[in-house]
Amino acid sequence: MKFKKVIAALIISQFAISDDELSSIPGAFVDVGYSAKSVSMGMVQTNLNEGALSAIFNPSNLANEKNKHSIYLNNFKLRNLDNYLVLAYSTNSIQNIPMGILLITNGDELWSESQIGVSIGYSFTETFGIGLTSKIYTVSAGNNKDGEIQDLQVSGDGFGFGFDSGLQYKLSETQKFALVFKNLFSSVSYNSSGGGGLAEGSYNENIPSHYVFGYSVKNKSVSLFLDILNGYKNDSPKEVRIGSEWNIFRNIINLRGGYRSELMTGENKMYGFGTGIQYGFKNIELILNLGYFFRPVEENMNEMRIEIGFNVK
């Protein structure tokens, strides 16, 4: 009963505050694949219980975190243009209230974005958990000196906030359902100047929100994941994401693969594959995730991601 009430409240609140003029095209703060593990598995996220990365994927996963401390770091260059730094930390030192912190930055002097977030997770029962992530967004633009041409340089900044929420229900020891709401509430205020006086002004913009339904099933050797993504009141196409993970050596070495595309048309296909290596000694576990993805119909869109993690039990 609690599970149904929470889902209903989140869906109703989203439609209640939605703006009919929400931008239908995601611009700033788009999830380009913040995790090497997720990228290698077709961008599935909702049921990936990956320590500190739960603060990014699904904050309700923090309720399942058994490590005292968890840290993940990922640094990559998107399409050889934008440098991204992704840092996530989580702890369950506070009894019954595991917490996470995330930092995501990208860009340069021409345009840069940063996200700082705090997440909490809570288990109502052994089978049902909920989580919330609150985020602060900052933007800086037009600080590149080579763009100053007869005082036409346009510069500006932005500041805003956003919230994610997640639910997870354990149907059995091998099956889980999840529901994640991204940018449930969000708003960024921008201020700009320059451009010969033509770019002066301030405005607000919402970040397009979406929700993701997830399902996972596993046995001792294989884990399978399914995510279905849909947006609110915008033209973002529905997506299907499918991922798999194969334990090939004593839970130390895993092989992964995945697929993502638009749900109805099959367009914008993306394939991913990779591996994960984790090794523990005493109370410390070291993790290395490698992910590679490619789009068959796009040129120069193949990318390799490397991610490291540390868990303290």
Side-chain angles (χ1 to χ4, degrees):
M1 183 61 69
K2 287 182 179 179
F3 182 66
K4 294 180 180 178
K5 288 182 179 179
V6 172
I7 292 178
L10 287 170
I11 294 176
I12 291 171
S13 64
Q14 172 62 42
F15 282 103
I17 58 90
S18 291
D19 189 340
D20 289 338
E21 297 184 2
L22 262 175
S23 172
S24 63
I25 302 174
F29 307 108
V30 175
D31 185 348
V32 296
Y34 295 138
S35 165
K37 180 175 181 177
S38 175
V39 161
S40 70
M41 299 171 65
M43 294 281 285
V44 295
Q45 296 183 353
T46 60
N47 281 313
L48 287 184
N49 294 333
E50 194 69 6
L53 289 175
S54 296
I56 299 173
F57 295 157
N58 179 358
S60 67
N61 282 333
L62 290 171
N64 302 316
E65 181 58 34
K66 295 180 173 58
N67 296 303
K68 190 172 182 180
H69 302 282
S70 177
I71 300 174
Y72 276 79
L73 176 65
N74 188 358
N75 180 246
F76 60 91
K77 180 171 282 191
L78 181 66
R79 291 190 289 274
N80 290 320
L81 293 174
D82 294 332
N83 286 304
Y84 276 78
L85 173 67
V86 181
L87 177 64
Y89 167 78
S90 68
T91 179
N92 64 1
S93 297
I94 302 176
Q95 188 175 10
N96 298 325
I97 307 180
M99 300 182 64
I101 299 173
L102 66 90
L103 170 65
I104 302 172
T105 66
N106 72 282
D108 51 25
E109 293 179 339
L110 179 62
W111 178 276
S112 64
E113 306 169 7
S114 296
Q115 302 180 49
I116 301 174
V118 177
S119 302
I120 59 171
Y122 183 77
S123 293
F124 286 99
T125 67
E126 292 184 357
T127 59
F128 174 58
I130 185 171
L132 177 69
T133 299
S134 59
K135 298 177 289 186
I136 293 176
Y137 300 118
T138 62
V139 174
S140 177
N143 295 315
N144 52 313
K145 295 180 179 179
D146 58 348
E148 296 177 355
I149 302 176
Q150 298 179 353
D151 297 325
L152 296 180
Q153 172 85 353
V154 177
S155 61
D157 56 66
F159 181 84
F161 65 90
F163 296 93
D164 299 340
S165 183
L167 315 168
Q168 190 177 78
Y169 178 72
K170 181 191 266 188
L171 183 64
S172 67
E173 290 299 320
T174 60
Q175 298 183 74
K176 291 180 182 178
F177 290 95
L179 184 61
V180 177
F181 298 86
K182 292 286 189 177
N183 297 308
L184 190 61
F185 310 101
S186 68
S187 179
V188 180
S189 298
Y190 293 94
N191 301 290
S192 61
S193 61
L198 299 177
E200 305 284 343
S202 302
Y203 64 96
N204 295 329
E205 186 174 84
N206 291 342
I207 301 173
S209 57
H210 63 266
Y211 62 91
V212 190
F213 171 79
Y215 170 76
S216 66
V217 60
K218 68 177 182 179
N219 59 28
K220 292 182 179 180
S221 301
V222 183
S223 297
L224 301 176
F225 301 84
L226 170 68
D227 280 0
I228 297 177
L229 180 149
N230 192 20
Y232 286 108
K233 294 188 177 182
N234 57 52
D235 297 329
S236 298
K238 299 179 179 66
E239 289 184 5
V240 59
R241 303 173 176 183
I242 301 171
S244 63
E245 183 174 42
W246 303 74
N247 173 24
I248 62 172
F249 182 71
R250 299 182 179 181
N251 291 316
I252 296 176
I253 301 176
N254 296 283
L255 293 181
R256 299 162 181 153
Y259 167 85
R260 184 191 74 172
S261 73
E262 293 182 16
L263 179 62
M264 305 305 294
T265 65
E267 296 179 349
N268 296 321
K269 294 181 178 67
M270 185 199 89
Y271 298 90
F273 61 90
T275 186
I277 302 172
Q278 52 191 48
Y279 182 77
F281 53 93
K282 293 185 179 180
N283 63 335
I284 297 177
E285 183 179 50
L286 305 179
I287 300 161
L288 174 65
N289 291 326
L290 306 177
Y292 183 83
F293 72 88
F294 63 95
R295 295 179 174 92
V297 298
E298 301 286 346
E299 294 184 4
N300 301 319
M301 292 291 286
N302 304 344
E303 292 186 23
M304 179 74 182
R305 304 280 173 82
I306 301 174
E307 182 174 77
I308 57 175
F310 306 89
N311 292 329
V312 179
K313 301 183 181 299

